[in-house]
Every structure is written in structure tokens, then in C-alpha cells.
Amino acid sequence: MRVLLDIKDSKAMPLLEVLKGLSYVKTKMISEEKALLMEEIKEAVEELALIRQGKLKGIPAKQLLDEL
């Protein structure tokens, strides 16, 4: 299982030390940019699911391209 945690910088290092002490837990630091990208992708997937369920209205691709 993978878990993404959002922790205040001042509290992150002590928690990481605890996690590193557990043989069954692997830790990996990611950049702030990568974390932001992951969050944006997650939001896009959730929005797509809502559009497919009919709970949210999407816009046609042509309209999106015309706005660029």
C-alpha cells in the first residue's frame, strides 16, 4: 500500500525518522513540484469521474482548444 502524507516541514523529519526505524516501511522524498503535479492529476481524475457520472458538465475539446 502507498500513502501520501502532507506534513508540516517542522514535524516531517521526526516522523520520517520513526518510519525509517520500521523495517517494513520504505520512505522516499519527493519534490514539492512532483507532489503538486500528483495532486493536480488526482483532482483531474476525480473531475473526470464526476463528468462520466453526469454529476458535472464537461466542455468539448474544441472549445477548450479555442480558449488557448
Side-chain angles (χ1 to χ4, degrees):
M1 176 189 321
R2 290 179 184 241
V3 178
L4 179 63
L5 303 172
D6 188 13
I7 307 166
K8 289 183 180 183
D9 289 344
S10 62
K11 305 289 183 179
M13 293 312 291
L15 179 59
L16 283 173
E17 291 303 317
V18 170
L19 293 174
K20 286 179 183 179
L22 302 173
S23 63
Y24 54 90
V25 176
K26 294 180 184 177
T27 61
K28 179 180 177 183
M29 299 287 288
I30 60 172
S31 68
E32 190 66 33
E33 293 82 15
K34 188 171 184 177
L36 179 59
L37 177 62
M38 290 171 61
E39 185 64 30
E40 289 174 349
I41 291 171
K42 178 180 170 260
E43 289 174 7
V45 170
E46 290 171 352
E47 187 174 316
L48 180 60
L50 290 174
I51 291 170
R52 287 186 172 172
Q53 294 171 7
K55 296 179 180 178
L56 192 63
K57 184 176 180 188
I59 61 170
K62 177 151 178 39
Q63 181 182 345
L64 178 65
L65 291 173
D66 289 343
E67 290 177 7
L68 297 176

XYZ file of all heavy atoms in Angstrom:
535
model
N 0.859 -1.174 0.000
C 0.000 0.000 0.000
C 0.898 1.227 0.000
O 1.939 1.262 0.648
C -0.898 0.010 1.238
C -1.735 1.252 1.320
S -2.669 1.554 2.856
C -3.249 -0.016 3.331
N 0.457 2.242 -0.720
C 1.177 3.509 -0.733
C 0.311 4.568 -0.080
O -0.906 4.584 -0.269
C 1.493 3.939 -2.161
C 2.513 3.061 -2.791
C 2.772 3.504 -4.203
N 3.698 2.585 -4.812
C 4.879 2.927 -5.269
N 5.267 4.169 -5.224
N 5.671 2.028 -5.800
N 0.953 5.455 0.666
C 0.246 6.519 1.355
C 1.005 7.815 1.122
O 2.222 7.864 1.253
C 0.170 6.236 2.880
C -0.516 7.368 3.601
C -0.514 4.918 3.144
N 0.292 8.853 0.753
C 0.893 10.165 0.579
C 0.493 11.016 1.769
O -0.696 11.192 2.046
C 0.399 10.801 -0.727
C 0.918 12.192 -1.031
C 2.430 12.171 -1.212
C 0.243 12.729 -2.280
N 1.484 11.531 2.477
C 1.218 12.342 3.666
C 1.597 13.789 3.397
O 2.623 14.054 2.772
C 2.048 11.832 4.851
C 1.851 10.376 5.242
C 2.873 9.978 6.292
C 0.450 10.152 5.752
N 0.809 14.718 3.891
C 1.120 16.138 3.809
C 1.401 16.596 5.234
O 0.483 16.690 6.056
C -0.053 16.898 3.201
C 0.284 18.338 2.906
O 1.472 18.698 2.937
O -0.655 19.105 2.639
N 2.675 16.847 5.518
C 3.110 17.132 6.888
C 3.835 18.472 6.918
O 4.608 18.790 6.013
C 4.074 16.029 7.391
C 3.427 14.659 7.213
C 4.473 16.271 8.831
C 4.409 13.523 7.369
N 3.605 19.238 7.974
C 4.337 20.493 8.150
C 5.832 20.193 8.173
O 6.267 19.181 8.738
C 3.950 21.171 9.462
C 2.570 21.743 9.477
C 2.325 22.446 10.804
C 0.945 23.037 10.836
N 0.711 23.768 12.077
N 6.619 21.070 7.561
C 8.065 20.866 7.491
C 8.689 20.658 8.865
O 9.575 19.824 9.030
C 8.741 22.051 6.799
C 8.455 22.097 5.305
O 7.999 21.074 4.754
O 8.688 23.154 4.691
N 8.221 21.401 9.852
C 8.801 21.310 11.189
C 8.544 19.958 11.858
O 9.265 19.563 12.765
C 8.269 22.432 12.076
O 6.863 22.306 12.229
N 7.528 19.244 11.414
C 7.171 17.951 12.015
C 7.598 16.759 11.161
O 7.567 15.624 11.621
C 5.651 17.868 12.224
C 5.069 18.987 13.035
C 5.461 18.882 14.467
C 4.776 19.991 15.266
N 5.091 19.931 16.662
N 8.008 17.005 9.926
C 8.275 15.916 8.985
C 9.490 15.070 9.370
O 9.437 13.836 9.315
C 8.456 16.473 7.580
N 10.587 15.690 9.723
C 11.810 14.936 9.992
C 11.657 13.958 11.157
O 12.072 12.798 11.034
C 12.998 15.876 10.211
C 13.388 16.638 8.941
S 13.533 15.613 7.445
C 14.981 14.665 7.807
N 11.075 14.363 12.288
C 10.896 13.379 13.365
C 10.026 12.189 12.934
O 10.325 11.040 13.269
C 10.214 14.178 14.481
C 10.572 15.593 14.218
C 10.685 15.708 12.734
N 8.975 12.463 12.183
C 8.117 11.373 11.723
C 8.870 10.464 10.757
O 8.759 9.240 10.830
C 6.853 11.922 11.061
C 5.898 10.861 10.516
C 5.430 9.915 11.625
C 4.727 11.496 9.824
N 9.652 11.056 9.859
C 10.435 10.243 8.927
C 11.418 9.342 9.663
O 11.647 8.200 9.264
C 11.167 11.128 7.923
C 10.311 11.689 6.803
C 11.105 12.678 5.962
C 9.780 10.573 5.928
N 12.021 9.838 10.714
C 12.952 9.026 11.491
C 12.239 7.829 12.114
O 12.763 6.718 12.134
C 13.635 9.867 12.573
C 14.610 10.890 12.016
C 15.695 10.265 11.149
O 16.254 9.209 11.518
O 15.962 10.835 10.074
N 11.025 8.046 12.611
C 10.240 6.949 13.181
C 9.923 5.925 12.096
O 10.096 4.713 12.283
C 8.934 7.471 13.829
C 8.005 6.326 14.189
C 9.253 8.319 15.052
N 9.480 6.404 10.936
C 9.126 5.499 9.845
C 10.334 4.721 9.335
O 10.222 3.539 9.006
C 8.469 6.283 8.701
C 7.102 6.883 9.011
C 6.625 7.745 7.854
C 6.091 5.794 9.335
N 11.482 5.371 9.256
C 12.703 4.691 8.799
C 13.113 3.587 9.774
O 13.775 2.633 9.384
C 13.847 5.694 8.632
C 13.684 6.567 7.416
C 14.827 7.561 7.314
C 14.631 8.495 6.133
N 15.701 9.484 6.027
N 12.725 3.718 11.025
C 13.047 2.709 12.029
C 12.211 1.446 11.907
O 12.503 0.430 12.528
N 11.168 1.495 11.097
C 10.309 0.334 10.892
C 10.796 -0.430 9.663
O 10.840 0.113 8.566
C 8.849 0.769 10.708
C 8.246 1.580 11.854
C 6.870 2.096 11.461
C 8.171 0.749 13.115
N 11.159 -1.676 9.839
C 11.744 -2.455 8.744
C 10.775 -2.685 7.590
O 11.198 -2.896 6.461
C 12.243 -3.799 9.279
O 11.151 -4.552 9.791
N 9.501 -2.636 7.845
C 8.515 -2.908 6.818
C 8.012 -1.649 6.100
O 7.108 -1.713 5.280
C 7.321 -3.683 7.399
C 6.694 -3.012 8.608
C 5.667 -2.112 8.462
C 7.152 -3.301 9.887
C 5.087 -1.493 9.566
C 6.580 -2.695 10.997
C 5.554 -1.797 10.831
O 4.994 -1.196 11.922
N 8.622 -0.493 6.384
C 8.217 0.763 5.753
C 9.388 1.321 4.956
O 10.508 1.408 5.457
C 7.781 1.800 6.806
C 7.463 3.142 6.151
C 6.593 1.298 7.603
N 9.121 1.670 3.697
C 10.117 2.333 2.858
C 9.687 3.781 2.695
O 8.506 4.063 2.464
C 10.209 1.677 1.483
C 10.730 0.273 1.521
C 10.783 -0.291 0.113
C 11.212 -1.746 0.151
N 11.216 -2.344 -1.195
N 10.615 4.705 2.791
C 10.294 6.117 2.623
C 11.030 6.657 1.406
O 12.110 6.184 1.064
C 10.689 6.943 3.858
O 12.094 6.833 4.068
C 9.942 6.493 5.088
N 10.417 7.636 0.763
C 11.026 8.269 -0.401
C 10.559 9.714 -0.423
O 9.358 9.982 -0.409
C 10.600 7.558 -1.686
C 11.164 8.161 -2.934
C 10.688 7.399 -4.158
C 11.192 8.055 -5.417
N 10.694 7.386 -6.618
N 11.481 10.627 -0.454
C 11.148 12.050 -0.512
C 10.844 12.416 -1.961
O 11.491 11.915 -2.880
C 12.325 12.895 -0.014
C 12.728 12.612 1.433
S 11.570 13.238 2.616
C 11.875 14.966 2.468
N 9.845 13.274 -2.161
C 9.558 13.792 -3.492
C 9.585 15.309 -3.426
O 9.379 15.909 -2.369
C 8.202 13.285 -4.040
C 7.045 13.718 -3.139
C 8.216 11.787 -4.223
C 5.679 13.415 -3.705
N 9.819 15.923 -4.577
C 9.892 17.381 -4.621
C 8.498 17.980 -4.469
O 7.480 17.314 -4.699
C 10.506 17.837 -5.945
O 9.630 17.544 -7.015
N 8.464 19.235 -4.112
C 7.195 19.951 -3.969
C 6.463 20.003 -5.311
O 5.244 19.865 -5.376
C 7.449 21.371 -3.453
C 6.212 22.121 -3.052
C 5.515 21.519 -1.834
O 6.192 20.977 -0.957
O 4.277 21.601 -1.778
N 7.239 20.174 -6.391
C 6.640 20.224 -7.727
C 5.981 18.900 -8.082
O 4.884 18.861 -8.640
C 7.699 20.568 -8.786
C 8.256 21.975 -8.662
C 9.357 22.102 -7.622
O 9.901 21.062 -7.174
O 9.660 23.243 -7.244
N 6.645 17.790 -7.769
C 6.086 16.482 -8.074
C 4.830 16.230 -7.234
O 3.848 15.686 -7.725
C 7.112 15.384 -7.822
C 6.672 14.029 -8.299
C 7.790 13.014 -8.236
C 7.353 11.694 -8.818
N 8.450 10.718 -8.825
N 4.855 16.644 -5.983
C 3.685 16.481 -5.118
C 2.509 17.286 -5.668
O 1.374 16.805 -5.683
C 4.020 16.921 -3.697
N 2.776 18.496 -6.139
C 1.722 19.336 -6.712
C 1.162 18.701 -7.981
O -0.050 18.652 -8.178
C 2.269 20.736 -7.019
C 1.289 21.723 -7.635
C 0.094 21.949 -6.728
C 1.981 23.033 -7.944
N 2.039 18.180 -8.831
C 1.600 17.516 -10.056
C 0.721 16.308 -9.735
O -0.335 16.106 -10.354
C 2.803 17.082 -10.888
C 2.501 16.305 -12.164
C 1.680 17.142 -13.122
C 3.779 15.820 -12.813
N 1.113 15.523 -8.752
C 0.326 14.356 -8.361
C -1.054 14.771 -7.869
O -2.059 14.131 -8.190
C 1.066 13.561 -7.280
C 2.304 12.859 -7.789
S 3.314 12.126 -6.491
C 2.206 10.962 -5.762
N -1.122 15.838 -7.105
C -2.404 16.330 -6.588
C -3.293 16.823 -7.730
O -4.496 16.544 -7.747
C -2.179 17.450 -5.572
C -3.428 17.940 -4.905
C -4.127 16.902 -4.056
O -3.456 16.004 -3.503
O -5.374 16.974 -3.953
N -2.705 17.528 -8.691
C -3.486 18.031 -9.822
C -4.013 16.893 -10.683
O -5.151 16.943 -11.161
C -2.642 18.993 -10.652
C -2.401 20.314 -9.943
C -1.437 21.227 -10.679
O -0.777 20.778 -11.645
O -1.342 22.401 -10.291
N -3.207 15.862 -10.889
C -3.655 14.700 -11.663
C -4.793 13.996 -10.931
O -5.791 13.605 -11.540
C -2.482 13.739 -11.939
C -1.508 14.393 -12.924
C -2.984 12.399 -12.474
C -0.216 13.632 -13.110
N -4.663 13.855 -9.617
C -5.714 13.219 -8.818
C -7.025 13.992 -8.945
O -8.088 13.410 -9.141
C -5.273 13.151 -7.362
C -6.303 12.558 -6.425
C -5.761 12.545 -4.994
C -6.832 12.193 -4.021
N -7.418 13.320 -3.330
N -6.959 15.311 -8.861
C -8.156 16.146 -8.988
C -8.770 16.000 -10.380
O -10.001 15.952 -10.516
C -7.815 17.604 -8.707
C -7.513 17.884 -7.253
C -7.027 19.301 -7.007
O -7.038 20.134 -7.946
O -6.631 19.587 -5.869
N -7.932 15.925 -11.412
C -8.434 15.780 -12.786
C -9.160 14.447 -12.956
O -10.221 14.387 -13.590
C -7.285 15.894 -13.778
N -8.613 13.391 -12.387
C -9.251 12.075 -12.477
C -10.589 12.078 -11.738
O -11.583 11.542 -12.223
C -8.304 10.971 -11.940
C -9.029 9.647 -11.790
C -7.088 10.828 -12.850
N -10.630 12.704 -10.566
C -11.887 12.797 -9.818
C -12.931 13.606 -10.595
O -14.106 13.244 -10.632
C -11.637 13.425 -8.443
C -10.862 12.530 -7.505
C -10.434 13.222 -6.219
O -10.597 14.461 -6.099
O -9.905 12.522 -5.339
N -12.481 14.686 -11.240
C -13.398 15.508 -12.028
C -13.928 14.714 -13.223
O -15.118 14.781 -13.546
C -12.668 16.761 -12.511
C -13.568 17.761 -13.190
C -12.849 19.053 -13.524
O -12.095 19.559 -12.670
O -13.045 19.545 -14.642
N -13.065 13.947 -13.875
C -13.483 13.121 -14.996
C -14.528 12.093 -14.556
O -15.514 11.853 -15.257
C -12.283 12.422 -15.623
C -12.567 11.511 -16.811
C -13.212 12.288 -17.945
C -11.289 10.843 -17.278
N -14.329 11.514 -13.392
C -15.296 10.538 -12.874
C -16.652 11.196 -12.651
O -17.690 10.612 -12.973
C -14.778 9.921 -11.575
N -16.658 12.412 -12.126
C -17.924 13.135 -11.916
C -18.604 13.460 -13.243
O -19.828 13.392 -13.354
C -17.677 14.415 -11.118
C -17.291 14.225 -9.654
C -16.935 15.578 -9.031
C -18.401 13.562 -8.875
N -17.822 13.808 -14.258
C -18.381 14.096 -15.579
C -19.017 12.836 -16.148
O -20.135 12.873 -16.677
C -17.296 14.667 -16.517
C -16.887 16.064 -16.055
C -17.785 14.686 -17.966
C -15.664 16.629 -16.758
N -18.323 11.718 -16.029
C -18.856 10.452 -16.549
C -20.123 10.017 -15.818
O -20.987 9.381 -16.399
C -17.801 9.356 -16.459
C -16.709 9.522 -17.484
C -15.765 8.377 -17.468
N -14.828 8.476 -18.582
C -13.796 7.700 -18.741
N -13.542 6.736 -17.864
N -12.993 7.850 -19.767
N -20.237 10.357 -14.545
C -21.430 10.017 -13.763
C -22.570 10.994 -14.024
O -23.678 10.805 -13.543
C -21.103 10.013 -12.268
C -20.143 8.944 -11.838
C -19.692 9.125 -10.402
O -20.186 9.982 -9.672
N -18.725 8.308 -9.974
N -22.282 12.056 -14.767
C -23.302 13.058 -15.064
C -23.507 14.064 -13.951
O -24.452 14.841 -13.983
N -22.634 14.069 -12.956
C -22.763 14.989 -11.829
C -22.078 16.330 -12.094
O -22.251 17.269 -11.324
C -22.176 14.360 -10.567
C -22.928 13.119 -10.123
C -22.312 12.520 -8.893
C -23.083 11.270 -8.463
N -22.479 10.634 -7.300
N -21.307 16.387 -13.181
C -20.585 17.606 -13.540
C -20.612 17.691 -15.057
O -20.562 16.668 -15.742
C -19.149 17.515 -13.027
C -18.293 18.763 -13.042
C -18.893 19.827 -12.115
C -16.881 18.452 -12.577
N -20.708 18.905 -15.584
C -20.764 19.061 -17.030
C -19.371 19.407 -17.553
O -18.724 20.330 -17.065
C -21.752 20.161 -17.410
C -21.924 20.296 -18.892
C -22.969 21.315 -19.248
C -23.063 21.387 -20.771
N -23.903 22.464 -21.210
N -18.928 18.655 -18.552
C -17.638 18.913 -19.182
C -17.796 19.888 -20.330
O -18.899 20.321 -20.668
N -16.657 20.258 -20.932
C -16.699 21.116 -22.112
C -16.068 20.354 -23.270
O -15.158 19.548 -23.063
C -15.972 22.458 -21.875
C -14.500 22.251 -21.554
C -16.651 23.266 -20.793
C -13.688 23.524 -21.542
N -16.539 20.595 -24.482
C -15.969 19.911 -25.637
C -14.493 20.282 -25.837
O -14.073 21.402 -25.516
C -16.812 20.417 -26.805
C -18.050 20.982 -26.198
C -17.666 21.440 -24.834
N -13.720 19.344 -26.369
C -12.288 19.565 -26.587
C -12.061 20.750 -27.516
O -11.124 21.529 -27.317
C -11.651 18.304 -27.146
N -12.898 20.910 -28.533
C -12.739 22.025 -29.472
C -12.852 23.356 -28.744
O -12.063 24.270 -28.975
C -13.770 21.937 -30.577
C -13.699 23.121 -31.539
C -14.144 22.779 -32.910
C -14.126 23.916 -33.876
N -13.066 24.853 -33.820
N -13.810 23.466 -27.841
C -13.989 24.698 -27.066
C -12.749 24.952 -26.201
O -12.293 26.082 -26.097
C -15.230 24.608 -26.189
C -15.492 25.858 -25.370
C -16.719 25.729 -24.472
O -17.529 24.834 -24.652
N -16.828 26.618 -23.511
N -12.223 23.899 -25.611
C -11.019 24.049 -24.795
C -9.850 24.540 -25.629
O -9.126 25.447 -25.226
C -10.671 22.697 -24.138
C -9.417 22.664 -23.280
C -9.576 23.556 -22.067
C -9.086 21.253 -22.857
N -9.663 23.948 -26.811
C -8.568 24.364 -27.687
C -8.765 25.795 -28.188
O -7.794 26.551 -28.324
C -8.438 23.398 -28.866
C -7.949 22.001 -28.505
C -8.016 21.083 -29.718
C -6.545 22.039 -27.924
N -9.999 26.186 -28.467
C -10.275 27.556 -28.917
C -9.924 28.573 -27.850
O -9.519 29.694 -28.165
C -11.746 27.700 -29.325
C -12.061 26.980 -30.611
O -11.111 26.636 -31.365
O -13.268 26.744 -30.879
N -10.051 28.199 -26.583
C -9.730 29.115 -25.482
C -8.232 29.330 -25.334
O -7.798 30.332 -24.783
C -10.304 28.579 -24.173
C -11.823 28.643 -24.112
C -12.375 28.048 -22.842
O -11.593 27.700 -21.940
O -13.614 27.925 -22.748
N -7.438 28.385 -25.836
C -5.984 28.531 -25.755
C -5.538 29.512 -26.801
O -4.656 30.235 -26.744
C -5.286 27.184 -25.957
C -5.590 26.132 -24.900
C -4.928 24.817 -25.275
C -5.102 26.565 -23.536
